[in-house]
Amino acid sequence: MPRTPSGGSRAGGTSAGAGRSMSIGTVLGLLRDEFPEATISKIRFLEAEGLVEPERTPSGYRKFSPDDVDRLASVLRMQRDHYLPLEVIREHLDAPARGADVRMPAPGPAPELLDATAGGPSRIAREEFLEEAGAGEDDLVEWEAYGLVAPADDGCYDRESVAVARLVAEIGRFGVEPRHLRAVRAAADRQAGLVEQIVAPLRRHRNPQTRNDAEATARELAALFVRLHAAFVESALRSPSP
């Protein structure tokens, strides 16, 4: 089976015969040699984000060129090796067309590993939580009372809770009290529940690859929900008040 290229740009070598158009299923088969976590939903997501633009048949079917496959491989490789956001990846891919020279950062550890190395353990005690969040004991008691942050059974907090606490404190500068944010937390919990409901059948599948696909699908759905929420808020703010 042909393999995706080891290079990093659309102008590089092709992963299939020159000029041959491929269905999304064929593209997935090519990509999975190097990226076993790739899914059809991931390819569609990258297309929706404008990272690849396959042609469409009159009936609406996607037809990918070898260059499209190379570009997808480059995107997945930059996500895997450099943990770059899509906006930065797009800048790297489009740089040659602009005549720009955008340097690729050196590969580093995954973000979740940074907490265990440079940033300390992934779970921290209450005192350290207060210090990193820049909060007082009274603040934390109030946040916990309204369900905005919560310790684990051992009394420690994960670092995601630190990020939540900092955002709650930042929003508080505008006069928003923790009780006002209960609805935001409840909405997030409902969205997480919906994501879990969608991916639950994949998590229970006997095929290990399908179970791996569940994790990628959950992350994609979570990112889409965040974007949808932001779009709803922006749309509501632009709409005239009744």
Side-chain angles (χ1 to χ4, degrees):
M1 176 181 293
R3 295 182 62 86
T4 53
S6 57
S9 70
R10 188 184 181 108
T14 58
S15 58
R20 184 163 71 91
S21 62
M22 292 162 277
S23 67
I24 193 169
T26 300
V27 171
L28 179 62
L30 291 170
L31 292 173
R32 274 192 166 168
D33 280 354
E34 183 179 352
F35 309 100
E37 75 284 358
T39 63
I40 285 180
S41 63
K42 176 70 170 181
I43 296 173
R44 289 172 176 163
F45 173 71
L46 294 176
E47 179 188 358
E49 291 294 311
L51 272 298
V52 65
E53 298 178 359
E55 293 184 0
R56 295 274 187 158
T57 66
S59 56
Y61 289 102
R62 297 172 177 83
K63 285 298 182 181
F64 293 83
S65 70
D67 282 350
D68 291 328
V69 180
D70 289 344
R71 188 173 175 93
L72 284 169
S74 296
V75 172
L76 295 173
R77 197 172 292 115
M78 281 188 265
Q79 286 185 314
R80 180 194 65 196
D81 298 342
H82 302 277
Y83 311 101
L84 298 176
L86 294 183
E87 293 80 3
V88 177
I89 291 175
R90 184 183 295 107
E91 182 180 355
H92 279 281
L93 293 176
D94 295 341
R98 304 193 311 269
D101 180 19
V102 180
R103 293 182 177 275
M104 183 69 65
E112 62 269 20
L113 297 180
L114 293 177
D115 286 338
T117 55
S122 59
R123 295 165 69 85
I124 56 178
R126 190 178 186 89
E127 295 76 12
E128 187 177 356
F129 175 90
L130 291 171
E131 181 179 354
E132 293 201 13
E137 181 68 30
D138 291 343
D139 295 321
L140 182 53
V141 169
E142 188 175 16
W143 296 340
E144 290 178 341
Y146 289 108
L148 303 181
V149 296
D153 293 339
D154 60 2
C156 293
Y157 298 80
D158 57 37
R159 292 194 176 274
E160 287 79 7
S161 295
V162 175
V164 169
R166 289 172 176 168
L167 288 170
V168 170
E170 187 72 13
I171 293 173
R173 296 194 304 107
F174 297 88
V176 180
E177 299 178 13
R179 61 188 176 89
H180 298 141
L181 300 177
R182 287 183 298 180
V184 179
R185 177 58 192 257
D189 289 341
R190 287 194 297 270
Q191 292 170 0
L194 179 56
V195 172
E196 287 295 331
Q197 180 180 348
I198 293 170
V199 302
L202 300 178
R203 295 187 194 277
R204 296 192 298 265
H205 203 278
R206 296 174 60 185
N207 188 325
Q209 181 57 57
T210 302
R211 294 197 296 270
N212 290 337
D213 290 348
E215 302 306 319
T217 300
R219 289 192 295 270
E220 290 174 25
L221 282 170
L224 289 171
F225 272 120
V226 169
R227 292 176 56 207
L228 179 61
H229 178 82
F232 279 147
V233 172
E234 292 176 3
S235 177
L237 290 173
R238 286 196 301 268
S239 301
S241 301

